[in-house]
Amino acid sequence: MLLFSFGFLEINFVDFLDILFVSVLLFHLYKLIKGSVALKIFVGGLSIYLTYLVVKATDMELLSEILSQFIDVGVIAAIILFQQEIRKFLLLIGKSTDFKNFPLFQLFKAKGKDGEINLDIPSIIDAMKDMSNTNTGALIVISKDSDLQFYSETGDFVDAKISKRLLLSIFFKNSPMHDGACIIYNNRIIAARCILPVSENPNIPATLGLRHRAGIGMTENTNTIVLIVSEETGQMSYIQGGTINHNISAIELRGKIRRYITDENEKETKN
């Protein structure tokens, strides 16, 4: 059954369903790998494939032959590069026993009012100040786009509303969850004791420890901000886009968090 046509291109009902299912599949694949370096690899592979389709359609035989060699081994390469993501995707489908919770149907779920993002900034700032005064080391990741499932699964699931007391309890020196990062999303503490990717940037000063390197690495790979309290000096730091701001005040920290949440971009200079 023909739905519509654009010149020589005719779209029927089956074509429409095909495009719809592929779109939904790509959307959930994006959600699955969002917040990890695998997204960049996926985009790179997809770019090569799209280029191959264009080159093939224009009958560029030599370039088509070269790109086809990449495409021929693409499935094997994808399995090797995305073995963890494929495993998580299959587990996600296997756990979906209820149709209303099936991942493909999540696309049609209603979202919050105007995509509103709430964050209890005062509780975070108060906890940071208290930890700074007592030289209590802390590593807090704040995300406005994703729950960072890949990273939250490396720690202990919390899923609790943000509060000053809870943050202080997590990073208390004798707490079993103080070692690692705390991940915050949608005004909730998603997980604690999480492992973050350590930056391999050779320009990072040698004076920065593993906590700061992990914070830099996290913001290099994801659209997040990281707040740090140094255990040695008690200084507070703010990291975004791989750029770290040392020894900032609570007022400065509050402003930077608010700008991140409200999408007010500002160029940060490395101190």
Side-chain angles (χ1 to χ4, degrees):
M1 182 177 65
L2 183 65
L3 295 180
F4 51 85
S5 63
F6 294 101
F8 66 91
L9 183 64
E10 296 183 347
I11 304 295
N12 57 38
F13 184 71
V14 175
D15 294 328
F16 176 77
L17 285 179
D18 189 20
I19 295 172
L20 177 63
F21 288 142
V22 170
S23 300
V24 172
L25 180 62
L26 289 176
F27 173 78
H28 285 284
L29 181 61
Y30 170 74
K31 284 181 64 178
L32 187 67
I33 64 177
K34 185 179 180 182
S36 73
V37 71
L39 178 60
K40 297 179 181 179
I41 299 175
F42 174 75
V43 171
L46 185 61
S47 300
I48 293 176
Y49 180 68
L50 293 176
T51 302
Y52 169 73
L53 293 179
V54 172
V55 168
K56 187 177 180 181
T58 53
D59 294 326
M60 297 182 184
E61 294 183 6
L62 181 59
L63 194 53
S64 295
E65 183 63 26
I66 294 173
L67 291 177
S68 67
Q69 300 305 313
F70 288 97
I71 303 301
D72 290 342
V73 298
V75 175
I76 299 175
I79 293 175
I80 296 173
L81 293 172
F82 297 104
Q83 54 182 318
Q84 289 185 334
E85 288 75 15
I86 293 173
R87 180 175 178 272
K88 288 177 182 291
F89 181 69
L90 295 176
L91 286 173
L92 184 64
I93 294 177
K95 289 190 294 185
S96 303
T97 55
D98 191 350
F99 281 107
K100 69 180 180 180
N101 293 322
F102 193 76
L104 294 180
F105 289 95
Q106 299 300 313
L107 176 64
F108 306 103
K109 292 179 86 173
K111 295 186 176 180
K113 181 182 178 182
D114 297 328
E116 217 173 78
I117 301 174
N118 297 314
L119 183 66
D120 187 359
I121 299 178
S123 293
I124 297 174
I125 297 298
D126 289 344
M128 291 281 289
K129 288 194 295 185
D130 280 13
M131 290 186 287
S132 177
N133 292 333
T134 57
N135 283 26
T136 301
L139 179 58
I140 300 174
V141 179
I142 299 177
S143 171
K144 63 179 178 180
D145 299 325
S146 167
D147 60 0
L148 303 174
Q149 183 180 356
F150 284 98
Y151 301 105
S152 60
E153 286 182 349
T154 64
D156 296 323
F157 188 65
V158 178
D159 191 26
K161 187 177 179 181
I162 296 174
S163 73
K164 173 184 174 181
R165 289 190 297 273
L166 181 55
L167 287 171
L168 292 177
S169 298
I170 289 174
F171 291 109
F172 179 63
K173 294 179 181 179
N174 295 325
S175 167
M177 292 197 297
H178 83 282
D179 190 19
C182 166
I183 294 178
I184 293 176
Y185 169 68
N186 199 24
N187 204 37
R188 298 185 71 81
I189 299 175
I190 302 299
R193 206 176 60 84
C194 299
I195 300 173
L196 305 184
V198 178
S199 176
E200 298 180 0
N201 186 349
N203 297 320
I204 297 176
T207 54
L208 295 182
L210 190 60
R211 181 179 286 115
H212 291 81
R213 287 179 176 272
I216 294 173
M218 187 65 176
T219 61
E220 286 175 341
N221 291 293
T222 62
N223 181 27
T224 59
I225 58 173
V226 173
L227 315 179
I228 294 177
V229 177
S230 172
E231 192 170 353
E232 289 76 25
T233 64
Q235 294 179 353
M236 294 186 291
S237 299
Y238 173 92
I239 308 176
Q240 184 175 8
T243 300
I244 184 168
N245 293 263
H246 292 296
N247 195 23
I248 62 176
S249 66
I251 295 176
E252 290 176 305
L253 190 60
R254 186 190 307 270
K256 290 179 182 296
I257 297 174
R258 192 176 300 278
R259 282 191 290 272
Y260 166 74
I261 293 298
T262 56
D263 285 320
E264 292 179 19
N265 296 323
E266 177 188 69
K267 267 191 173 181
E268 303 290 348
T269 56
K270 196 169 186 177
N271 291 344

